[in-house]
Amino acid sequence: MKTAQRLRRQRRFAWRRLAGVGTVAAVGALFSWPAGLGLLALGLGWAWWCVEREFAEVLGEALTGAPHEDLSPRARLVLEPLRAQERVWRRRLEAARRDRERLIAAWDRLPVGVVWLAADGTIRRLNRRAEDLLQLQRRLHGGQPLALFLPEPRWLERIRASGEAGFTGEVPRRGETLHCRLQWVPLEEGEALLLVEDRTEAMRLERMRRDFVANVSHELRTPLTIVRGYVETALDAPTPLPPPLAGYLEQVHAQAVRMQRLVEDLLTLAQLEGTQPPPAKWVDVGELLETAAAQARGVAPEGLTVEVDFPPQPGAILGVRTELESALGNLALNAVRYTPAPGRVVIGARAAENGEGELFVRDTGIGIAPEHLPRLTERFYRVDRARSRDRGGTGLGLAIVNHVAQRHEARLLIDSAPGKGSEFRLRFPSGRWREGEAVK
Ligand code: ADP
């Protein structure tokens, strides 16, 4: 049936061409060069008709979808490269489909919850873990604004502002409370991924470790005080002790003092890590500098000067006095510890750009090689263990300083060059720094 139609159509084409040729010949006759013009038109029309017929037939065969073997040699010639290309595209399409399925399966097996958010904050997709942690369902909540289903609608803003560090919040789930870390990963065109990580177990273990260290330190405190007390009594006895015994007792005393310092630092760290900071108050910067300088002068050897560099308007820091004193005191003691006499230690404060401000401790001491700088705030990390111990260091000072900085939204910045000296800075954000009179 289709073939008959095609033939009829081809015949119609042929008649039209012949009519065209006839017309051209008639026009030619009028101008007395009929034969040439007519033959030319006839030839052109015939050629055009042949091409059209070929094309129509090949296309007709192609559209029947007949297997390759059943095609005419002419159609095979034309269709072979097209069908080869089609096979390539089909294979690629199939591979892309399989990859997509695998990606979706992997996305659902991720141990971290992931929510893909559109630019307007609505949920585009979420994986199984995110469904489980945030108590959402794809069918119900897809296309809805995520902010509505978080424990607090304001969370989304806080997560976005928290950057790479992420925001940790309590998420209720089936009668229990999870501690989840939520992190914002910006994508193209305002879209974003929200990563949700369950940190409940990690935080429990971290708390256990902290409690253990705090308890051990606490338990060691009393026996150490007693040992130190008896040793001091024996050393201060009116009748002098025989020389070897006095030497042994002095060793015991020095070690007891060192252990006591260690225990105190461990307790300070445990307290900084495990508790919320007390309410912040404006703390006078001038007083902070004086306290730290007095502490440093108390242990500085002869030939080492300790100076205070007051800014024109010392002002105040919004924070916890004891913690700020401890941080600046640690930096000042380190400066004295690692600066041989003759030398100079300067403890000061200055305003920085964007309304920020900083406390600094500068020394002309031994300095620190650049490769050690990133690890200095790790507990018990020392550049030179023996030297630190000789100078009464515990290896915990900068860890304490770093914790205090974090609790005050401040940053610890270190500039140092071996043999030249160091500058340690605590940089406070504008909201915590005020120039001029301290607000009591
Ligand atoms: P420590 O009790 O050993 O001083 P810290 O945590 O306070 O422990 O410091 C870690 C290490 O950083 C020190 O052991 C020392 O090597 C180095 N350090 C700290 N402050 C200074 C400084 N002002 N100059 C040179 N090195 C320093």
Side-chain angles (χ1 to χ4, degrees):
M1 180 64 186
K2 279 184 185 156
T3 318
Q5 269 177 356
R6 218 164 56 226
L7 281 175
R8 267 204 304 280
R9 211 178 306 135
Q10 282 172 7
R11 253 179 248 131
R12 257 200 320 274
F13 281 145
W15 281 117
R16 275 196 211 134
R17 296 295 166 270
L18 278 177
V21 170
T23 315
V24 174
V27 174
L30 281 177
F31 291 95
S32 79
W33 23 273
L37 207 66
L39 274 175
L40 181 68
L42 195 68
L44 283 174
W46 185 256
W48 175 247
W49 178 70
C50 287
V51 169
E52 228 177 4
R53 199 190 57 174
E54 286 282 294
F55 182 70
E57 277 181 10
V58 169
L59 194 67
E61 278 191 73
L63 291 177
T64 57
H68 199 65
E69 316 77 65
D70 296 351
L71 294 178
S72 65
R74 186 180 50 188
R76 273 190 213 172
L77 198 70
V78 177
L79 288 177
E80 201 150 6
L82 290 178
R83 291 208 162 161
Q85 191 58 37
E86 186 197 359
R87 279 195 298 276
V88 170
W89 283 112
R90 269 187 201 287
R91 270 202 302 275
R92 287 194 188 159
L93 202 69
E94 181 57 24
R97 198 183 54 75
R98 275 201 311 271
D99 277 355
R100 182 175 178 275
E101 277 167 11
R102 279 193 210 139
L103 264 175
I104 291 178
W107 156 270
D108 269 334
R109 268 180 225 147
L110 281 176
V112 176
V114 189
V115 185
W116 179 8
L117 292 169
D120 61 0
T122 53
I123 301 171
R124 287 198 63 176
R125 253 176 195 281
L126 68 164
N127 70 352
R128 291 241 161 82
R129 189 77 178 128
E131 283 188 310
D132 178 40
L133 290 174
L134 297 176
Q135 295 290 282
L136 296 173
Q137 281 177 33
R138 287 166 209 203
R139 269 176 297 114
L140 281 182
H141 300 97
Q144 308 261 5
L146 176 69
L148 298 182
F149 310 109
L150 291 175
E152 281 182 41
R154 281 189 316 117
W155 270 25
L156 212 54
E157 276 313 305
R158 292 175 68 178
I159 298 164
R160 209 193 310 235
S162 65
E164 269 188 27
F167 158 83
T168 303
E170 292 184 354
V171 177
R173 187 189 65 167
R174 294 193 285 273
E176 54 174 346
T177 301
L178 302 181
H179 293 270
C180 291
R181 193 170 83 98
L182 298 114
Q183 194 189 347
W184 187 266
V185 182
L187 301 178
E188 304 289 304
E189 294 170 17
E191 296 195 340
L193 291 181
L194 182 76
L195 307 185
V196 191
E197 188 191 356
D198 181 8
R199 304 261 313 137
T200 316
E201 183 57 14
M203 283 174 80
R204 194 182 66 81
L205 292 176
E206 178 62 22
R207 203 170 37 249
M208 269 173 61
R209 181 195 64 77
R210 252 191 342 253
D211 290 350
F212 173 76
V213 174
N215 288 337
V216 170
S217 312
H218 200 77
E219 291 298 322
L220 284 175
R221 222 181 193 174
T222 317
L224 273 174
T225 315
I226 294 170
V227 169
R228 186 177 167 179
Y230 278 127
V231 173
E232 279 172 3
T233 314
L235 284 172
D236 291 345
T239 34
L241 295 166
L245 193 57
Y248 298 150
L249 280 186
E250 261 151 28
Q251 280 290 320
V252 173
H253 183 252
Q255 294 305 322
V257 170
R258 198 168 89 79
M259 274 186 85
Q260 265 187 328
R261 224 180 281 137
L262 194 61
V263 162
E264 290 310 321
D265 277 358
L266 281 172
L267 281 170
T268 307
L269 254 186
Q271 192 251 331
L272 288 172
E273 285 178 335
T275 60
Q276 288 296 319
K281 294 195 177 126
W282 288 102
V283 182
D284 191 278
V285 166
E287 283 171 24
L288 280 177
L289 300 183
E290 288 291 11
T291 312
Q295 241 178 309
R297 282 186 194 115
V299 290
E302 206 169 311
L304 185 63
T305 57
V306 178
E307 295 165 25
V308 177
D309 181 5
F310 282 108
Q313 295 176 304
I317 296 171
L318 186 61
V320 182
R321 175 183 291 275
T322 48
E323 292 185 8
L324 292 170
E325 277 177 357
S326 152
L328 198 61
N330 265 302
L331 292 180
L333 288 181
N334 273 353
V336 171
R337 206 171 273 152
Y338 300 106
T339 306
R344 185 167 172 243
V345 172
V346 182
I347 304 168
R350 57 170 96 95
E353 60 270 24
N354 305 325
E356 297 186 329
E358 57 192 28
L359 300 176
F360 67 88
V361 177
R362 197 169 52 234
D363 64 57
T364 56
I366 58 171
I368 305 158
E371 66 269 22
H372 296 291
L373 295 181
R375 299 196 57 192
L376 283 189
T377 54
E378 288 173 24
R379 285 154 224 227
F380 298 114
Y381 186 85
R382 285 119 151 182
V383 176
D384 181 341
R385 186 168 284 270
R387 185 175 207 141
S388 155
R389 214 175 273 149
D390 284 352
R391 311 281 168 103
T394 59
L396 296 172
L398 291 182
I400 292 175
V401 175
N402 198 39
H403 271 285
V404 172
Q406 282 168 7
R407 281 158 77 96
H408 288 78
E409 300 165 279
R411 281 170 294 150
L412 174 64
L413 307 165
I414 309 170
D415 295 309
S416 190
K420 295 213 169 104
S422 317
E423 184 176 75
F424 287 75
R425 292 178 286 148
L426 280 171
R427 169 82 67 102
F428 295 86
S430 56
R432 286 184 177 264
W433 178 266
R434 173 169 294 193
E435 280 186 74
E437 278 302 289
V439 180
K440 304 271 175 182

